[in-house]
Amino acid sequence: KDSFAPGDTIIVAVTATNPASAPVNAQITARWFDPQGGIFNEESRAQDFSGTQTVNFRIADPKGLKPGKYKLEIALNGSVVQMREFTVN
C-alpha cells in the first residue's frame, strides 16, 4: 500500500534472510522522512539473524500525519538497502 489517511498507523515489515548456518548480528534501521525531507522518526533494531526473519517498524501520530509525500529508508548495518515513497491524503 502506498497511500494512507492521516490517522492511520503505518507498519512496514522488513524481511531479512541469512543463508549461512551461523547467525549473523546485524542492525536494521527504518528512517522516516516527512514531506519537507526532514527525518521525523528513526528506529534501529540489532539482533542475531538466522534463516529468514521479519522485523516490523511502525509510525502513527495521534494528531494525524500531515498530508504529502513521505519517504522511508531501510538500512542494513548503516547502508541504505531499500527506499519507498508513500502518500498521506
Side-chain angles (χ1 to χ4, degrees):
K1 186 173 178 179
D2 60 3
S3 182
F4 300 90
D8 286 349
T9 297
I10 302 171
I11 301 169
V12 62
V14 179
T15 301
T17 302
N18 172 15
S21 57
V24 173
N25 187 273
Q27 179 171 300
I28 296 179
T29 302
R31 189 172 297 124
W32 306 81
F33 294 84
D34 64 24
Q36 291 74 41
I39 297 171
F40 73 94
N41 190 34
E42 184 171 333
E43 184 179 357
S44 295
R45 305 254 175 83
Q47 66 187 66
D48 290 331
F49 288 93
S50 58
T52 300
Q53 293 177 271
T54 301
V55 179
N56 292 319
F57 297 97
R58 66 181 61 215
I59 59 162
D61 187 333
K63 299 176 200 168
L65 293 168
K66 294 178 185 169
K69 278 196 163 241
Y70 288 74
K71 184 172 84 169
L72 167 66
E73 287 182 350
I74 300 297
L76 178 63
N77 293 331
S79 297
V80 176
V81 294
Q82 190 70 252
M83 191 272 305
R84 291 279 191 259
E85 291 183 345
F86 61 95
T87 303
V88 173
N89 297 319

